[in-house]
Amino acid sequence: MYTINLLNTQFMNTELTSIGGAVCNETLSAGLIFAEGQSLTHQNKEALWEIFEAIGASWANTIYNSNNQRSSWYEMLKAKTENAPNYAGEYVNAIYVINELKAMYGTEDAYKKLFFESGIDNNAPPTTRLAHCKIYVVNEFIRMQITAGGFKSWGTKYDGEQARNYHGFLGGTRYNRTPRVRAYNPDTNNHKNDQE
Amino acid sequence: MKNQFDYIIVGGGVAAATTAKGLLEHRHDTSILILEAGPEIIAKDRRFWWDYITRGERPYTFTYDQKFEADSTGNIDYQTDGVRVKAYGGSTMHWGAWCLRFRPEDFNLFTNTGEGADWPINYEDLETYYNDAEAFLSVCGDDNANWVPRSKPYPVPPFEWTAADGEMIKAWEQLDVVYQDGDINPGTKNKIKSGKMPIARYRKCMTTGTCKYCPIGGRFNAQYVLDDLKNDTRFINFEVRINAPVHQVNASSKSKIESVTYTDNLSGNEYTVKGNTIILASGAYNVPKLLRASKNEFWKNGIGNDHDLVGRFVVSHSMLNVVGKAPSNPNGWFQEYDFPTLMSHSYNTKEHQKKGKIFMFKNRTTPNVDIAQLMIDGKTREEIDEIVYGEMTINIQAFLEEKGKYSNRLEAKPGKDRFGLPQTTVHFSRTEEEMKNANDRLKLLEQIIEKMGLEVISSRVDKPGGHHTTGTARMGTSPENSVTDKFMKVHDTDNLYVCSNAAFPTGSAVNPTLTLTAMAFRLVNHFIEKQTNQTNSKTNNVNKRNTIQECLSGESN
């Protein structure tokens, strides 16, 4: 029984949180932090926005800057905090975590540690504050950031054509003037079901 | 609570929605009750959509059959888990909405090959209803395509091929095997090769690639139709009851079906409701189980099962799947839609029927790089760039037509699922010849991948999937060879119908939902004609009675 517990502990993101201090390594149950009825303050939202902006900066994957994605990001935050299960507890936890990391490493390196060196197993249940921050907030912000247009920066390395569509991207109806995808335009003699 | 209706429809998916809408639009005060076993899951909900985007969660997957609720026996595993949504709106909650017509030869499989079965109707009998179905579902298709006769253009133009489709199109062009003598006009050498996949999407579709849970209702979902019907003040006698699994169809004589009995899952109470006409529209899984469970003094082995045919002749599609790898992807291509745009009917023709037709398409997700996942995994920009332009894989896939066999059967197993429906077991085996044919077909797909200059890294016949299950209460010409007649009425009954893939004698090599919708339109037309005939008959009787009375009064005068 004891052995099993040790194994579980190892796989549940409790021994891997080497980058943080007391806050990051505090253990929590793996489920969403209970926060029904709670809401975020303006300051909370600004602190979370900093995390979101840091994602765009770290991967250099926003065409102009993250502000283009701000309204979509707010809409997601609203959906996640005004409907059950409420993410407000996770968001506040993420602020605690990033504050500790910033105190330990400074702002720039704090995000570098969090995004690239956290040691968190993304597939294991999160059982520390750091793991909660990575899995419920950072990872979800990354998905949202790519969905909102961050994918467009890939594709131009060899002067190629930018991708135009990605899982979740709201690009407007396909009857507007912007082509929805990079389309194949065949020669006239090799694309029709023409007759011989 | 009202307990007598003109029509009772069991099941709340596309067949039910189409039938109810047709009947109500014909006569607004028609009383219709839809009984759906599953719950209602809210569509177009922003929180659900964000959870799908950020966590990959879809709100209806809990309704899927679990392994313990649906299993299979036989020499090959039949996929029963995760294939159907048991909820208000049915499987249109998650469908891909590929909308392909069956081809003329599909209705004459036995005549053409000596195997499987013929339909009691022909393609021509269904053609106008296909037009109706395409308009109803908003199918985006290519009017230049000529692989099947059609009397009307598609209602919406097609989606373009993606850049990544190009290499496969060129390979198909180069391979002689894609040129087939056209079935439509034999001898004319119509080329059947690269095609644009007909997909049901409304004009407002924003191509988010999140079709499995659309945030804006850009793709047909039967739920939207049912909601509209419920909210339409003209249809005062229309009602839907959810969480209401039907477990018995009741007969008052051999031919007269009187009522159905269901359980209200929320209260646990049992109710019996009467209907002048009963329509089983609960899918190829549930229809045969319900028929066989409905035993009574007139139907000892279950309704429609005097000849032990209910649940037999299970047909589905096996998926052929070949993966090719290129050393690099210099254009950073990926399949920018979440549905396939390229397909071919080259092997979906009469000539290939004996061996098993296949319907080919470029996989809906390849090539692809999940950039967000790489970021989550902590890869740097430079590392991700390497991956984006590095190795590229492309899948070509095909549905393989299978032929109904007596020994392949779907039936209930002891116990109920979480929604109060009987659990399922499918007995399904393939013959050695079928396995050989499937493997031969794989070689064709491998040729295409090689012609594209890719290395074949995987080539396999996937297990048959329950997504396209058909045949379990098939149509035919007599009770000795089928369960239902050409109008999907259960043989030897007057008023029990099956509006489901279950009634299909063959499954072709393409997705069944468009054909099911067309069949539902045809059924509505059948009901309307019946109503008209009954009205005319009543009018004639009244006229006759009036004439007699006039005669009598004349005599008395």
Side-chain angles (χ1 to χ4, degrees):
Chain A
M1 193 67 176
Y2 185 64
T3 310
I4 290 169
N5 280 339
L6 272 180
L7 280 172
N8 284 344
T9 301
Q10 186 181 359
F11 286 111
M12 290 178 79
N13 276 326
T14 53
E15 299 299 323
L16 301 173
T17 56
S18 57
I19 65 165
V23 174
C24 287
N25 289 306
E26 187 181 341
T27 56
L28 297 177
S29 64
L32 210 67
I33 297 169
F34 183 81
E36 298 312 317
Q38 296 178 36
S39 56
L40 298 174
T41 64
H42 174 72
Q43 287 79 7
N44 291 154
K45 289 174 190 170
E46 289 303 307
L48 291 164
W49 176 249
E50 186 184 288
I51 299 176
F52 189 78
E53 277 193 307
I55 290 167
S58 296
W59 277 279
N61 67 341
T62 45
I63 304 285
Y64 304 105
N65 61 51
S66 295
N67 277 318
N68 294 325
Q69 303 173 335
R70 192 162 177 134
S71 61
S72 296
W73 179 82
Y74 266 131
E75 198 262 325
M76 182 189 75
L77 229 60
K78 184 174 160 67
K80 292 255 183 186
T81 54
E82 293 186 2
N83 301 280
N86 186 341
Y87 264 58
E90 292 297 338
Y91 291 149
V92 170
N93 174 69
I95 296 167
Y96 292 158
V97 167
I98 196 65
N99 283 345
E100 182 180 64
L101 293 176
K102 284 199 288 194
M104 290 170 69
Y105 304 109
T107 299
E108 193 174 328
D109 280 354
Y111 285 114
K112 193 175 165 192
K113 291 275 180 192
L114 181 59
F115 298 154
F116 300 105
E117 299 167 20
S118 71
I120 298 298
D121 179 349
N122 294 304
N123 299 311
T127 52
T128 62
R129 286 192 180 277
L130 177 64
H132 270 258
C133 170
K134 178 70 168 54
I135 288 172
Y136 285 116
V137 181
V138 172
N139 291 359
E140 294 195 12
F141 279 10
I142 286 172
R143 287 230 168 260
M144 190 273 149
Q145 202 265 358
I146 291 293
T147 292
F151 69 95
K152 286 184 173 179
S153 67
W154 271 276
T156 54
K157 185 174 178 183
Y158 302 109
D159 297 323
E161 201 180 5
Q162 276 181 355
R164 297 193 185 133
N165 220 2
Y166 193 81
H167 184 89
F169 182 63
L170 290 164
T173 82
R174 71 187 182 99
Y175 286 88
N176 66 19
R177 294 179 185 202
T178 310
R180 299 264 59 79
V181 295
R182 290 175 289 178
Y184 173 65
N185 297 308
D187 297 331
T188 50
N189 64 354
N190 71 351
H191 76 296
K192 292 277 185 184
N193 297 293
D194 44 3
Q195 290 191 343
E196 280 182 344
Chain B
M1 197 157 55
K2 187 171 174 173
N3 70 348
Q4 170 75 51
F5 295 84
D6 296 328
Y7 296 89
I8 293 173
I9 305 177
V10 179
V14 62
T18 310
T19 308
K21 183 176 166 64
L23 290 168
L24 288 166
E25 286 183 345
H26 173 66
R27 213 188 73 199
H28 300 343
D29 64 348
T30 304
S31 61
I32 299 175
L33 172 65
I34 289 179
L35 294 167
E36 166 55 49
E40 177 175 357
I41 295 153
I42 299 169
K44 294 182 275 186
D45 179 86
R46 294 299 294 181
R47 173 61 187 270
F48 279 157
W49 187 69
W50 279 118
D51 284 345
Y52 179 25
I53 293 294
T54 55
R55 304 179 60 78
E57 294 170 354
R58 287 171 280 153
Y60 50 77
T61 52
F62 77 94
T63 73
Y64 284 160
D65 281 314
Q66 306 294 306
K67 270 287 182 192
F68 66 89
E69 293 171 319
D71 57 24
S72 72
T73 67
N75 69 2
I76 188 158
D77 189 20
Y78 191 94
Q79 186 190 350
T80 51
D81 53 322
V83 299
R84 58 183 186 135
V85 177
K86 289 181 278 190
Y88 175 67
S91 291
T92 56
M93 289 288 291
H94 78 161
W95 74 316
W98 312 4
C99 285
L100 298 123
R101 296 183 178 202
F102 281 18
R103 291 167 50 85
E105 70 271 10
D106 293 322
F107 297 82
N108 301 296
L109 180 64
F110 181 78
T111 299
N112 295 342
T113 68
E115 296 173 89
D118 287 345
W119 290 53
I121 60 173
N122 288 315
Y123 177 82
E124 292 73 24
D125 297 318
L126 204 53
E127 202 279 331
T128 58
Y129 301 107
Y130 270 127
N131 293 333
D132 295 337
E134 285 169 346
F136 182 55
L137 301 174
S138 187
V139 180
C140 312
D142 184 0
D143 290 327
N144 291 324
N146 62 357
W147 42 78
V148 65
R150 51 184 311 118
S151 58
K152 277 190 176 177
Y154 281 103
V156 190
F159 285 87
E160 295 302 308
W161 288 315
T162 62
D165 290 339
E167 295 306 306
M168 192 172 287
I169 291 170
K170 289 174 194 162
W172 286 355
E173 297 289 342
Q174 289 165 27
L175 284 168
D176 287 342
V177 287
V178 304
Y179 295 87
Q180 298 297 327
D181 200 4
D183 279 341
I184 301 164
N185 299 302
T188 60
K189 281 281 181 189
N190 284 333
K191 291 177 184 175
I192 302 173
K193 42 185 181 178
S194 310
K196 290 172 179 167
M197 181 73 90
I199 294 273
R201 294 290 184 280
Y202 299 119
R203 282 178 178 268
K204 65 182 172 181
C205 169
M206 297 172 102
T207 67
T208 63
T210 55
C211 308
K212 298 292 182 190
Y213 188 82
C214 180
I216 57 163
R219 180 216 57 193
F220 177 92
N221 177 343
Q223 193 179 113
Y224 310 151
V225 178
L226 296 173
D227 283 347
D228 286 348
L229 296 179
K230 284 194 297 187
N231 293 330
D232 193 320
T233 52
R234 294 174 301 166
F235 308 144
I236 195 165
N237 294 316
F238 176 66
E239 187 179 345
V240 180
R241 295 179 193 165
I242 57 171
N243 301 304
V246 173
H247 46 86
Q248 186 82 28
V249 178
N250 309 304
S252 58
S253 68
K254 181 86 178 177
S255 60
K256 174 70 177 166
I257 306 302
E258 187 180 59
S259 61
V260 300
T261 303
Y262 72 93
T263 301
D264 177 352
N265 279 343
L266 302 185
S267 68
N269 294 333
E270 196 170 272
Y271 299 94
T272 294
V273 282
K274 291 183 177 177
N276 298 334
T277 300
I278 313 275
I279 304 162
L280 307 184
S282 46
Y285 274 48
N286 202 47
V287 166
K289 290 188 293 181
L290 181 55
L291 286 172
R292 287 183 71 186
S294 300
K295 293 176 182 167
N296 53 54
E297 59 182 303
F298 314 107
W299 296 95
K300 303 286 186 200
N301 298 312
I303 295 176
N305 196 35
D306 282 354
H307 296 273
D308 195 27
L309 296 180
V310 172
R312 295 193 182 278
F313 309 109
V314 175
V315 176
S316 184
H317 295 138
S318 288
M319 180 81 90
L320 310 184
N321 194 338
V322 176
V323 185
K325 184 179 79 175
S328 68
N329 180 10
N331 298 300
W333 282 334
F334 55 89
Q335 177 67 13
E336 295 187 25
Y337 294 124
D338 188 32
F339 48 77
T341 39
L342 173 62
M343 58 88 175
S344 173
H345 287 286
S346 293
Y347 299 96
N348 181 23
T349 65
K350 187 175 172 182
E351 292 92 328
H352 294 285
Q353 215 170 5
K354 178 73 179 168
K355 194 164 183 172
K357 303 198 301 176
I358 59 170
F359 170 64
M360 295 189 294
F361 46 92
K362 188 168 133 290
N363 170 279
R364 72 182 173 89
T365 57
T366 58
N368 201 6
V369 175
D370 188 347
I371 294 166
Q373 187 60 49
L374 294 171
M375 292 164 68
I376 287 168
D377 291 341
K379 303 284 186 204
T380 64
R381 171 82 201 201
E382 291 69 29
E383 289 170 326
I384 297 174
D385 270 337
E386 285 297 309
I387 293 167
V388 166
Y389 300 104
E391 276 184 5
M392 171 179 71
T393 59
I394 293 183
N395 292 33
I396 182 170
Q397 293 178 298
F399 291 137
L400 172 68
E401 176 181 28
E402 299 196 326
K403 293 156 185 144
K405 293 196 287 289
Y406 181 83
S407 55
N408 286 346
R409 189 173 204 174
L410 185 152
E411 59 185 352
K413 68 172 184 177
K416 289 184 176 174
D417 68 12
R418 292 159 294 147
F419 304 95
L421 295 170
Q423 299 190 124
T424 307
T425 191
V426 183
H427 309 290
F428 194 88
S429 289
R430 284 197 189 121
T431 64
E432 281 185 22
E433 187 184 355
E434 285 170 329
M435 293 298 290
K436 180 182 177 308
N437 289 343
N439 284 312
D440 284 351
R441 294 304 196 200
L442 271 184
K443 292 192 172 61
L444 291 171
L445 303 190
E446 289 170 16
Q447 268 189 318
I448 293 162
I449 288 291
E450 285 163 359
K451 184 60 80 176
M452 292 171 69
L454 307 180
E455 176 195 353
V456 174
I457 57 170
S458 166
S459 180
R460 64 178 193 271
V461 181
D462 286 338
K463 57 189 174 184
H467 313 71
H468 298 169
T469 301
T470 55
T472 51
R474 70 183 191 181
M475 299 158 69
T477 51
S478 75
E480 288 76 27
N481 65 22
S482 55
V483 177
T484 51
D485 71 8
K486 67 178 181 178
F487 288 109
M488 301 187 288
K489 180 164 70 65
V490 175
H491 288 301
D492 296 329
T493 69
D494 291 337
N495 60 335
L496 178 62
Y497 290 82
V498 169
C499 188
S500 158
N501 297 346
F504 293 9
T506 63
S508 182
V510 299
N511 312 52
T513 301
L514 180 71
T515 300
L516 173 60
T517 310
M519 291 297 286
F521 272 102
R522 184 172 177 269
L523 182 62
V524 168
N525 190 57
H526 171 67
F527 288 142
I528 290 171
E529 282 181 355
K530 263 181 86 172
Q531 286 173 16
T532 307
N533 290 339
Q534 282 167 355
T535 308
N536 288 343
S537 172
K538 276 181 191 167
T539 309
N540 288 340
N541 287 340
V542 169
N543 289 341
K544 211 180 286 178
R545 204 165 47 237
N546 288 344
T547 309
I548 291 168
Q549 280 174 345
E550 281 168 18
C551 289
L552 287 173
S553 60
E555 277 176 8
S556 62
N557 287 336

